[in-house]
Amino acid sequence: MMVACVFTSVRKKEIRQFGTMTEDILQLVSWLKESGCEMAAMESTGSYCKPVYNIFEEEHIPIMVVNAQHIKGVPGRKTDVKHAEWIADLVRHGLVKASYISNREQRELREITRYRQEMIGERARELNRILAILEGCNIKLGSVKCYYRYQRKKWHSYFKGNHIWRNRSSCFK
């Protein structure tokens, strides 16, 4: 659940709660536009703030992502409603600094690169698991000199249903 606070005048504020699904975030966007909100701010909460930021960016609503440690300073603000009021008040008085958020293309490239690195690591872990199983069956591929060349050629045929150990001697040619 998200809680939003908009100051409509010097002493008047309006507080509403929204869900975290895309439809709910779009309702938040339309409410902020209707209210004439000039600046939105939210606490950086890891991956939870990404969908909100992306939608606000698409809808051309200026948004600030603020470091949680910079706004935590006052004790006694334990509820979400009071926290939303506190953030809105800090933004209204210009007392918070926005965190750096790279542009959309850089964020997408970074996300794809991280995913690729995860997949490479996952592939290496799976190959090591297969090697451990094969070594448990007395098939020692790690001791073969041309193991890596052998590995690439034979894994593909193995996973197509062929047994890699039928032609092990072909590696030594």
Side-chain angles (χ1 to χ4, degrees):
M1 177 185 325
M2 294 185 297
V3 178
C5 175
V6 172
F7 281 97
T8 54
S9 66
V10 176
R11 295 181 188 227
K12 270 184 116 177
K13 61 188 167 224
E14 190 175 343
I15 298 172
R16 290 193 186 173
Q17 295 182 352
F18 297 91
T20 56
M21 303 301 281
T22 303
E23 183 179 320
D24 302 322
I25 298 170
L26 291 172
Q27 288 175 357
L28 169 62
V29 165
S30 64
W31 176 65
L32 291 175
K33 285 181 176 179
E34 290 169 8
S35 302
C37 180
E38 296 174 11
M39 173 61 71
M42 68 178 169
E43 198 171 7
S44 60
T45 53
S47 62
Y48 299 111
C49 68
K50 287 180 183 179
V52 177
Y53 186 87
N54 289 335
I55 291 174
F56 276 46
E57 185 180 48
E58 285 177 8
E59 295 290 330
H60 304 291
I61 294 179
I63 184 164
M64 237 191 245
V65 178
V66 183
N67 188 333
Q69 291 184 347
H70 294 164
I71 58 178
K72 254 186 181 172
V74 176
R77 306 209 180 267
K78 302 295 183 196
T79 68
D80 289 342
V81 172
K82 286 185 179 181
H83 198 66
E85 289 176 21
W86 177 244
I87 293 171
D89 200 33
L90 289 174
V91 170
R92 185 172 66 157
H93 291 98
L95 297 174
V96 290
K97 181 182 171 190
S99 298
Y100 173 74
I101 306 290
S102 56
N103 64 36
R104 181 178 286 276
E105 292 81 21
Q106 288 176 334
R107 290 193 316 263
E108 289 173 353
L109 180 61
R110 187 177 296 150
E111 200 167 318
I112 289 169
T113 304
R114 286 181 183 152
Y115 180 70
R116 182 178 181 275
Q117 288 300 107
E118 286 176 24
M119 292 296 102
I120 290 169
E122 196 62 38
R123 178 178 172 245
R125 283 188 289 278
E126 287 301 321
L127 288 174
N128 287 336
R129 284 186 193 113
I130 292 170
L131 279 176
I133 290 169
L134 291 174
E135 285 190 13
C137 298
N138 284 333
I139 300 172
K140 309 276 188 210
L141 293 180
S143 62
V144 176
K145 289 183 180 179
C146 57
Y147 166 67
Y148 293 104
R149 181 176 47 136
Y150 174 75
Q151 174 188 6
R152 281 188 184 171
K153 289 179 184 177
K154 298 303 176 179
W155 287 128
H156 296 292
S157 66
Y158 177 74
F159 289 116
K160 288 179 184 175
N162 301 328
H163 293 288
I164 62 172
W165 45 84
R166 283 187 190 155
N167 296 324
R168 282 194 303 194
S169 61
S170 65
C171 174
F172 298 105
K173 292 180 183 177

